[in-house]
Structure formats: C-alpha cells, structure tokens
Amino acid sequence: MLSKPSAENKAKARERFSDPLFSFGIVLLFLLLLFALFPEKRIMETMAHSPARSRLVLSYREAFLRTRPYDSDLRIKLAEGLAESEQFKRALKVLDEHEGTWSSHREGYLKVRYRALKGRLESGAMTEADRKRFENEYLRVARELGSVDPAFLAREKSMAAAGGAGSESYRERARGFFRSMKEAGSVAKRRDLFMKGVKTLLAGNLPVEALDEGEANMSGLEADRQTLLFMTRTALGAGRPAAAQRFISRALGMQLVSGRGGGA
C-alpha cells in the first residue's frame, strides 16, 4: 500500500514550486514572447512613455541590455530607473558593468551615478572602509558634474531640501490614515484607510516606505484578498518581487479555499 505523502514532502514540493529560478523563467519566457510578437521599436517607444522605475520597464531594459551590452543610452536609462526605485546598489552595478565607453553620454552617466551614490550613502549600511570609498567617489563625481553642468548641483540641493520637508508631510498624512484604522467599524472602511495611507506614501515618491509601512499596519486585513492584491502591486512598484510573491501566494491560496468551499 502506498503511503500518503508526508507534510515535509508537501512543504518541499511547495518550496520547489516557488523557487526564484522558476519565477525568473516565467518572466523570461514572457519577455521572449513579447519580442516575438511585437517589433522592438514599438516596445522601446512604449517604455519611453512609462515610468522609469516600473518593474515591467526595468525587466524589459534588463533583457534588452543582455543583447546589447555596449548600448550606453539604454544602460543609463536602466540605472536611472533602478535609482528612482531606490535600488542604488544595483544601479551602480549596472553602470560598472558597461562594456562600452561613456564619451558621448558622459553628462547623463555622471548625473545617474551622482544620484545612485548619494542614495547609497544615505540609505545603506556599510563598513567604514566602503563608506569612505563611496564618499570619495561621490565628491569626485560632484566636482566633475560641477564643471559639466554648473547649475545641476544647485538644483539637486534645492530639490533635496524641498523634498525632505515634503516627504515628512506625506509621512505624517499617512500616519494619520493608519491611526484612523483603529476606529474603523468595518473591514471595508479599514481597507479604505489603509490604502489611502499607502497611496499617500507612494504619492510622496516613497515606494519602499509605502511597502514597509503597509506591512506594519495590515492588522485586521491579513486575510483580506483586495488588500493582498493591492500590496502585491505595491511590492512590485518598490522593486521587491519576493514580497510580491508572498502577497500574491496568500491571495491565490484564499481564492482556492473559497472556491472549494463554494462548490461543497
């Protein structure tokens, strides 16, 4: 008599199904299908009118870059999107891996590198030696930028000062929505306030904070399918595919349980 599969074997099967390589393979096949169905020029035009930090746009550009590693303009646009989505380490890596020359794109390269270095220094934990190295490079890039575009650094400093105050106002408004959730009398009202809080942070160009604060304030909505789908999109926008997979898996699991219950 055949024995029933153990809980451990089932867990291993689930782990294999959610393997990151499996997920990457699906994305790659999807991209290859798009390349086969649509002219490359049309895809590039579509990307030009989409947000640079969009997860789909980033995936397209990464795929295109594998076939044209010497394309300076494409590499700068990919690094720019990564920096906008606060993936500063990856943005620097993309720039460092360039196999061509920056001679005809020097200004664009310096601007993206400046923003990526600034973000890396402000957001990432690192050793003292690494911090010193990044600080030296940041100052070097800033000096070179000052000679290429004298007004650029002044604009960046002005935007940083305004953005700092502006970001805090978005955070405060989001905290207000999250606090109000405690007084909500229904799941629908709680969900509405929750989404407003997360969307407020997204409107303030704080996608990573929107995801983190959303996860921290989901109390009472952990089993709400609409909330899980909303957080899936938020995680993708923040460049966190693993978190998106976690949310969508829970949402799909609930849908399957609901479907089985409805057919009983």
Side-chain angles (χ1 to χ4, degrees):
M1 181 182 294
L2 293 174
S3 61
K4 293 183 178 180
S6 66
E8 182 180 352
N9 289 335
K10 290 180 180 179
K12 288 181 179 178
R14 285 195 296 271
E15 289 172 4
R16 284 195 296 272
F17 177 78
S18 60
D19 192 305
L21 289 175
F22 178 82
S23 301
F24 176 77
I26 291 177
V27 173
L28 186 60
L29 285 173
F30 176 66
L31 292 175
L32 290 173
L33 178 62
L34 285 175
F35 293 157
L37 294 177
F38 299 100
E40 180 179 323
K41 183 178 179 181
R42 186 190 300 180
I43 296 177
M44 297 295 281
E45 289 174 351
T46 301
M47 287 193 295
H49 293 89
S50 303
R53 66 185 181 194
S54 161
R55 183 68 188 170
L56 189 57
V57 170
L58 291 176
S59 297
Y60 282 150
R61 285 179 173 154
E62 284 180 315
F64 278 126
L65 198 58
R66 291 190 185 97
T67 65
R68 47 173 78 169
Y70 294 94
D71 192 327
S72 304
D73 184 55
L74 179 60
R75 190 172 293 273
I76 287 174
K77 287 178 179 176
L78 172 58
E80 184 179 33
L82 291 169
E84 284 187 14
S85 61
E86 300 185 19
Q87 300 180 66
F88 306 115
K89 190 174 181 179
R90 284 186 64 200
L92 292 170
K93 186 173 185 291
V94 165
L95 294 174
D96 290 339
E97 290 175 343
H98 189 37
E99 297 181 18
T101 175
W102 296 116
S103 56
S104 59
H105 296 81
R106 189 68 184 173
E107 184 176 343
Y109 160 76
L110 288 171
K111 288 178 179 179
V112 174
R113 192 166 194 89
Y114 173 86
R115 288 170 177 154
L117 286 167
K118 184 174 184 290
R120 185 79 176 91
L121 285 166
E122 291 177 349
S123 65
M126 62 187 77
T127 65
E128 191 60 35
D130 283 341
R131 180 167 294 280
K132 187 67 175 176
R133 178 169 59 84
F134 280 120
E135 285 176 349
N136 289 338
E137 186 180 2
Y138 174 73
L139 293 173
R140 179 185 62 77
V141 171
R143 283 195 299 270
E144 191 169 348
L145 260 176
S147 64
V148 174
D149 186 350
F152 175 80
L153 294 180
R155 289 197 305 269
E156 285 292 302
K157 291 178 181 178
S158 176
M159 289 173 60
S167 295
E168 190 53 42
S169 69
Y170 284 107
R171 293 185 182 103
E172 184 55 40
R173 286 169 53 197
R175 285 193 288 265
F177 285 122
F178 292 139
R179 284 194 296 266
S180 298
M181 288 172 61
K182 298 176 182 178
E183 303 171 6
S186 66
V187 171
K189 181 62 176 175
R190 180 182 289 270
R191 181 199 305 127
D192 180 61
L193 291 167
F194 172 81
M195 290 185 177
K196 284 180 177 178
V198 174
K199 287 178 180 177
T200 297
L201 292 171
L202 291 173
N205 196 25
L206 300 166
V208 175
E209 283 190 40
L211 175 61
D212 292 341
E213 290 299 311
E215 287 196 272
N217 290 278
M218 280 184 70
S219 178
L221 294 170
E222 299 90 343
D224 182 68
R225 186 167 176 271
Q226 289 186 49
T227 300
L228 292 171
L229 293 175
F230 171 75
M231 287 300 290
T232 299
R233 295 190 294 272
T234 301
L236 289 173
R240 297 276 186 83
Q245 183 183 5
R246 188 170 69 250
F247 287 123
I248 196 64
S249 296
R250 285 163 58 187
L252 291 173
M254 289 168 50
Q255 185 180 32
L256 289 173
V257 170
S258 176
R260 286 197 294 267

